[in-house]
Amino acid sequence: MLCLILSFFFFFVTLSSGTSDPYCIVKVDNEVVARTATVWKNLNPFWGEEYTLHLPMGFHSLSFHVMDEDTIGHDDVIGKITLTKEAIGAQAKGLDCWLNLTKVDPDEEVQGEIHLGLELLKDTEKISLRCQVIEARDLAPRDISGTSDPFTRVIFNNHSAETSIIKKTRFPHWGETLELELDPEELREEEGTVTVQVWDWDMVGKNDFLGKVEIPFACLHKTPQLEGWFRLLPLGNNEVDAGGKLGALRLKVRLVEDQILPSMYYQPLIDLLVESVISPTEVEDSSALTMLEEVTTVESRQDVAMTLVKIYLGQGLVVPFLDYLNTREVNHTTDPNTLFRSNSLASKAMEQFMKAVGMLYLHEVLKPIINRIFDEKKYIELDPCKIDLNRTRRISFKGAVSEAEVRDSSVEMLQSYLTSIIESIVSSVDQCPPVMRVAFKQLHKRVEEQFTEPENEDVKYLAISGFFFLRFFAPAILTPKLFQLRDQHADTRTSRTLLLLAKALQSVGNLGLQLGHGKEQWMAPLHPIILRSVASVKDFLDKLIDIDHDTASEVPQRAVFTASVTVKEGFLHKHKAEGPQLLSRFAFKKRYFWLTSETLSYAKTPDWQVRSSIPIQCVCAVERVDENAFQQQNVMQVITQDNDGQLHTTYIQCKNVNELNQWLSAIRKVSIYNERMLPSFHPGVHRSGKWTCCLQADRAVAGCSRTHSAVTLGDWSDPLDPDVETQTIYKQLLQGKDKLRLVPEHVLDGAECTVQQMKPCQGIAARLLVVIEDLEQAHATFQRREKEDVTSVIMNP
């Protein structure tokens, strides 16, 4: 199995001149996968957006379109950047640079595929080239209706022929055969090219180009009959670097392409990782985990920590894993003030663990207060150097406001927000996931055993609150979008409020011990409420760790969430299919949706007791719907199959493209292991006796477009995949293989043995080297087989 993961982070864009309200659209092979927020009246916007995409191996390009939002009419395209799969993959560490925007040429904005059959006919009477033009899919929309009027032209030398025009579709079905009669001399040509062009017919003006396929005539000599789907290519690469005149975009893009082996090949490495944590009495001995930390770089440590957390969650050993790392960290720390202050594997693992198992909990605790702060948009400032009285006049009907009045108002609002946050946290003991509480209990125990002096009484609290408040809740308050608490980043005013609250909550997490020692003495008005909260925070932490170890064993072995836990929820619009045909805008009714690993259910309101449900096990496709189907944007369809094999479709509309992608991804993930997934689907709807996409009459006809079940957004709620996770760890060890060879010889004792023959007391570095080399050999074998299979297909099409 091949695994393809694309991650990208774009910082900001510098535009050339004028005024602009820029936002950025991200496309994979012309399919929109994300849209940033609009930054109003700014030529140097900062987005700071980060995405991880799981893609099929066949993807070709990633493009970024910088747009200027227009409240009246269509948004303007400022420029774009297109990166091919090959260009991204050529950089082992990824791309991280400024790239100039280029103009958007319609002849380059092609998409889709065409199904062709080519045959070279030779007999005594004539020589001809026969081309079966069967169908095309996912063509670019060139008309205002969001469709095209496509026809196909076949060209060879001075010969050409055209199909009929099919009106108003991006998924035409021709089923026509075109024949070009050739001269005998042309048969001997080796340099010629058969060109198949697809055009959008226009009654007025010139036709629009939709794409082309070029097939060397020599291929037909070797294989007289070809048939298959061919990707449509642009007219020619006319993209011209405008030298920065249109602006530039700062991008960071990385592509990971992996060959995932069958599970049995990874088992020896899993065994070594498990062995590291099941013998806590030998925590000071070398292990696979300690070796892994030694060979990884600081830059890769966060990815390694996240992967290890997933592996041990899957093994049901995440608490022993964290306890092992934390015990080593605590035992090697002499100054309690430096405990967990570095970017060690233990620190990163605890951070990733909290995100993996605690995000829904964090949402329950913080979302109401975060929403309130965003809705109120209060002007709040305590720093005298930053108070802007011009801005305060906008919120006052009494004329000028003094700095003292601004500070008093700010203190009052911050106290109100901070009180709500603290109260919500300290009353959330029962909401906190049991496995998280047990992990903190173990951490508390290790710190208490190491720092027994009376003056270190608070260290056991600080160790937990350092993670809980400083690395979990405070960052979520500072940047709520990165924790999925909000769809967009905060504006300047709200962002300042969140920063002040995050600073205050950090002081709460530090139990007020550093108050008065920093440079920001203007935060002093909040010190009383911080100090008053210390006792309630300690009491909360005592209750948090008051839990039985066995409770954590109730967490499922191969899933972060139980079946009953809601993975995603919110208001969407569901299409009302039953009854008389309604106008599109009236056919969608607002409903509240809940998604778990078992059902997608909905009701009129969140409090509605009667819910309708779609079983996840019946889902066989989750796809976008063409805009012209309902004359509505951001519509998706959930296709299910009942026990009789009948297909049923539920149409759901989201409020924007980001919400659409999030719901598509979430439902695809929970149905990822379903057995009856469809290979194709209809992007349109069956209305007035035909499909709006391919115009075919038969409701039961096979879909005209490929499904995209492999395309998902990566996030904290991803299902666990042990083979992919272990492959990631193998690659880290492979990069550090030379370091492992430098381990002293007595540690490498037994390097010639197999893993099965070795005893636990023998050198761990040697055992890791054997595992790495075995996996290297397995990868080489599978890659050789793949090349042989590809060669066989080419030789025997």
Side-chain angles (χ1 to χ4, degrees):
M1 179 181 72
L2 288 167
C3 172
L4 196 63
I5 301 175
L6 179 70
S7 58
F8 52 90
F9 183 98
F10 45 101
F11 296 87
F12 49 90
V13 64
T14 300
L15 303 177
S16 55
S17 60
T19 60
S20 185
D21 304 315
Y23 66 91
C24 194
I25 289 176
V26 186
K27 296 183 179 181
V28 173
D29 290 343
N30 293 295
E31 181 178 12
V32 178
V33 295
R35 181 202 190 277
T36 69
T38 300
V39 182
W40 301 100
K41 297 181 181 179
N42 196 321
L43 293 178
N44 298 282
F46 174 81
W47 286 298
E49 304 272 354
E50 184 171 6
Y51 298 92
T52 299
L53 299 174
H54 300 270
L55 299 172
M57 295 304 298
F59 107 91
H60 299 285
S61 65
L62 173 72
S63 61
F64 302 83
H65 289 67
V66 180
M67 311 290 291
D68 178 17
E69 184 160 338
D70 196 342
T71 54
I72 301 175
H74 292 285
D75 297 346
D76 299 319
V77 182
I78 297 172
K80 72 161 188 174
I81 291 168
T82 299
L83 300 172
T84 64
K85 176 185 174 182
E86 292 72 24
I88 304 170
Q91 304 293 325
K93 295 184 178 180
L95 293 169
D96 185 359
C97 59
W98 283 94
L99 296 170
N100 290 335
L101 297 174
T102 61
K103 292 182 179 179
V104 175
D105 182 351
D107 288 342
E108 298 301 308
E109 298 299 298
V110 303
Q111 64 187 66
E113 299 170 304
I114 186 168
H115 189 186
L116 299 173
L118 288 171
E119 185 177 4
L120 189 59
L121 301 174
K122 295 177 282 187
D123 56 38
T124 56
E125 295 183 3
K126 67 175 182 178
I127 302 169
S128 60
L129 175 64
R130 178 178 294 171
C131 180
Q132 284 183 289
V133 184
I134 304 168
E135 59 187 321
R137 59 192 179 197
D138 195 31
L139 299 178
R142 289 288 189 256
D143 297 338
I144 196 170
S145 62
T147 63
S148 290
D149 303 320
F151 69 92
T152 297
R153 179 182 298 148
V154 180
I155 305 170
F156 178 69
N157 288 348
N158 296 321
H159 310 284
S160 67
E162 295 180 357
T163 66
S164 59
I165 300 166
I166 300 182
K167 299 289 188 69
K168 297 183 179 180
T169 179
R170 294 173 51 234
F171 301 86
H173 186 91
W174 288 286
E176 297 181 24
T177 299
L178 305 178
E179 197 164 307
L180 305 179
E181 190 169 335
L182 308 182
D183 298 328
E185 294 79 14
E186 293 177 301
L187 185 63
R188 292 189 289 271
E189 290 191 16
E190 295 290 336
E191 303 297 327
T193 300
V194 179
T195 303
V196 181
Q197 298 176 342
V198 185
W199 294 85
D200 167 46
W201 176 82
D202 283 332
M203 181 180 294
V204 180
K206 68 175 186 176
N207 298 331
D208 299 312
F209 182 72
L210 292 174
K212 69 177 181 179
V213 175
E214 292 183 339
I215 300 170
F217 191 63
C219 288
L220 293 175
H221 284 294
K222 297 176 183 178
T223 309
Q225 190 169 357
L226 291 174
E227 183 182 342
W229 283 93
F230 296 85
R231 179 183 170 226
L232 292 170
L233 300 175
L235 189 60
N237 187 7
N238 298 322
E239 293 182 7
V240 178
D241 189 333
K245 293 180 181 178
L246 298 176
L249 185 65
R250 173 75 185 277
L251 287 172
K252 185 175 182 180
V253 186
R254 183 165 65 107
L255 178 66
V256 177
E257 183 175 334
D258 272 335
Q259 169 73 60
I260 308 300
L261 302 174
S263 300
M264 64 180 182
Y265 289 95
Y266 296 111
Q267 195 57 48
L269 181 51
I270 289 288
D271 292 341
L272 284 177
L273 292 173
V274 168
E275 183 184 301
S276 299
V277 304
I278 59 176
S279 303
T281 56
E282 302 170 5
V283 74
E284 292 303 320
D285 294 344
S286 293
S287 68
L289 281 175
T290 59
M291 292 291 176
L292 179 61
E293 184 167 20
E294 288 178 15
V295 301
T296 55
T297 62
V298 175
E299 293 79 15
S300 65
R301 198 154 289 159
Q302 179 164 313
D303 290 339
V304 171
M306 177 182 64
T307 304
L308 287 172
V309 165
K310 289 186 174 183
I311 287 175
Y312 286 103
L313 274 168
Q315 295 293 323
L317 293 170
V318 71
V319 172
F321 159 66
L322 294 171
D323 187 39
Y324 174 83
L325 292 181
N326 290 338
T327 301
R328 290 183 63 90
E329 180 93 356
V330 170
N331 291 352
H332 294 161
T333 303
T334 55
D335 182 0
N337 294 317
T338 63
L339 186 62
F340 295 113
R341 298 297 183 185
S342 66
N343 289 321
S344 64
L345 188 59
S347 298
K348 291 297 183 183
M350 284 295 289
E351 282 185 36
Q352 298 305 316
F353 164 70
M354 289 188 294
K355 287 183 179 180
V357 304
M359 285 288 276
L360 292 176
Y361 160 62
L362 180 139
H363 281 210
E364 289 180 28
V365 173
L366 286 186
K367 200 159 191 175
I369 182 65
I370 293 295
N371 288 342
R372 175 188 161 196
I373 294 168
F374 270 76
D375 292 342
E376 293 181 353
K377 293 184 180 179
K378 298 288 187 180
Y379 177 71
I380 293 176
E381 186 54 76
L382 296 181
D383 186 350
C385 299
K386 294 185 177 180
I387 291 179
D388 185 354
L389 296 181
N390 291 325
R391 295 177 65 183
T392 62
R393 291 192 185 103
R394 300 174 189 172
I395 59 172
S396 173
F397 298 100
K398 301 178 181 179
V401 179
S402 67
E403 287 191 14
E405 289 175 314
V406 172
R407 282 197 298 272
D408 290 343
S409 172
S410 299
V411 169
E412 182 180 354
M413 287 305 305
L414 286 172
Q415 286 177 338
S416 173
Y417 291 147
L418 188 59
T419 299
S420 297
I421 291 171
I422 294 172
E423 288 179 352
S424 184
I425 293 175
V426 299
S427 62
S428 68
V429 172
D430 294 334
Q431 296 167 275
C432 187
V435 67
M436 199 167 165
R437 296 176 62 185
V438 172
F440 282 136
K441 179 176 183 177
Q442 288 293 94
L443 175 60
H444 179 277
K445 178 182 177 182
R446 301 306 179 195
V447 174
E448 192 173 38
E449 291 171 346
Q450 177 70 6
F451 300 101
T452 57
E453 299 82 4
E455 62 269 23
N456 292 328
E457 173 65 24
D458 285 335
V459 177
K460 60 189 178 186
Y461 292 112
L462 289 168
I464 302 175
S465 63
F467 286 116
F468 200 76
F469 287 91
L470 276 64
R471 299 199 187 204
F472 192 46
F473 279 101
I477 291 171
L478 182 63
T479 52
K481 186 180 188 303
L482 299 185
F483 287 77
Q484 288 86 47
L485 286 164
R486 296 288 297 189
D487 291 333
Q488 297 184 347
H489 288 295
D491 57 35
T492 304
R493 176 179 291 187
T494 305
S495 182
R496 182 60 180 171
T497 301
L498 296 173
L499 174 62
L500 294 172
L501 286 170
K503 287 177 179 288
L505 195 64
Q506 285 180 325
S507 296
V508 172
N510 285 322
L511 304 182
L513 296 178
Q514 298 177 0
L515 293 181
H517 299 295
K519 297 179 181 179
E520 299 173 341
Q521 293 304 310
W522 41 266
M523 291 285 287
L526 295 180
H527 290 178
I529 189 172
I530 292 171
L531 292 172
R532 286 197 301 271
S533 68
V534 170
S536 61
V537 167
K538 285 185 176 181
D539 181 61
F540 163 71
L541 295 177
D542 285 333
K543 292 177 180 176
L544 194 72
I545 63 173
D546 185 15
I547 185 172
D548 187 0
H549 280 64
D550 294 337
T551 307
S553 64
E554 298 173 6
V555 176
Q557 296 292 294
R558 286 306 306 159
V560 179
F561 309 119
T562 59
S564 60
V565 170
T566 301
V567 177
K568 191 168 183 61
E569 62 181 301
F571 277 109
L572 300 170
H573 287 79
K574 177 185 174 294
H575 183 259
K576 184 179 180 181
E578 65 275 5
Q581 195 70 41
L582 300 173
L583 292 174
S584 295
R585 59 176 177 166
F586 299 119
F588 286 89
K589 301 297 182 182
K590 190 174 183 180
R591 295 291 182 264
Y592 197 84
F593 280 78
W594 297 265
L595 175 66
T596 72
S597 61
E598 292 186 341
T599 61
L600 174 66
S601 53
Y602 54 92
K604 287 187 176 180
T605 67
D607 301 325
W608 203 264
Q609 297 300 315
V610 180
R611 300 184 185 181
S612 301
S613 294
I614 300 172
I616 292 299
Q617 64 181 6
C618 296
V619 172
C620 51
V622 189
E623 299 292 336
R624 287 175 172 80
V625 177
D626 253 8
E627 289 185 18
N628 68 310
F630 296 106
Q631 300 303 315
Q632 300 280 350
Q633 292 182 328
N634 307 315
V635 179
M636 67 177 180
Q637 54 183 310
V638 180
I639 306 172
T640 56
Q641 192 173 40
D642 59 27
N643 294 331
D644 297 327
Q646 295 295 313
L647 297 180
H648 306 274
T649 305
T650 302
Y651 296 100
I652 302 170
Q653 185 180 29
C654 304
K655 63 184 177 183
N656 55 50
V657 69
N658 283 345
E659 184 178 70
L660 171 66
N661 285 318
Q662 290 163 9
W663 275 97
L664 279 170
S665 184
I667 302 173
R668 284 173 181 170
K669 286 173 185 176
V670 295
S671 59
I672 196 169
Y673 297 117
N674 287 4
E675 295 179 357
R676 296 184 292 180
M677 302 302 287
L678 294 176
S680 62
F681 77 107
H682 287 285
V685 294
H686 197 272
R687 185 170 56 231
S688 301
K690 63 182 179 181
W691 286 100
T692 59
C693 45
C694 58
L695 309 181
Q696 296 192 75
D698 185 0
R699 180 187 287 270
V701 70
C704 56
S705 185
R706 285 185 299 175
T707 52
H708 303 82
S709 59
V711 182
T712 59
L713 290 167
D715 60 23
W716 51 272
S717 63
D718 281 345
L720 306 176
D721 191 332
D723 297 334
V724 174
E725 294 148 12
T726 316
Q727 170 68 14
T728 301
I729 298 302
Y730 155 69
K731 287 180 64 178
Q732 288 293 329
L733 290 168
L734 182 63
Q735 293 175 6
K737 187 169 69 170
D738 291 339
K739 290 184 180 180
L740 289 174
R741 294 190 186 283
L742 297 177
V743 175
E745 289 185 6
H746 69 278
V747 182
L748 284 169
D749 181 35
E752 298 301 320
C753 303
T754 64
V755 174
Q756 290 78 11
Q757 293 169 331
M758 288 185 177
K759 298 179 180 178
C761 60
Q762 291 176 313
I764 189 66
R767 300 171 68 195
L768 275 173
L769 283 169
V770 172
V771 169
I772 293 169
E773 288 164 3
D774 286 348
L775 283 169
E776 270 189 291
Q777 186 175 356
H779 275 285
T781 301
F782 273 82
Q783 287 171 0
R784 185 170 61 251
R785 289 178 186 171
E786 281 185 357
K787 289 180 181 178
E788 291 172 354
D789 291 342
V790 171
T791 303
S792 176
V793 170
I794 293 173
M795 297 299 293
N796 304 287

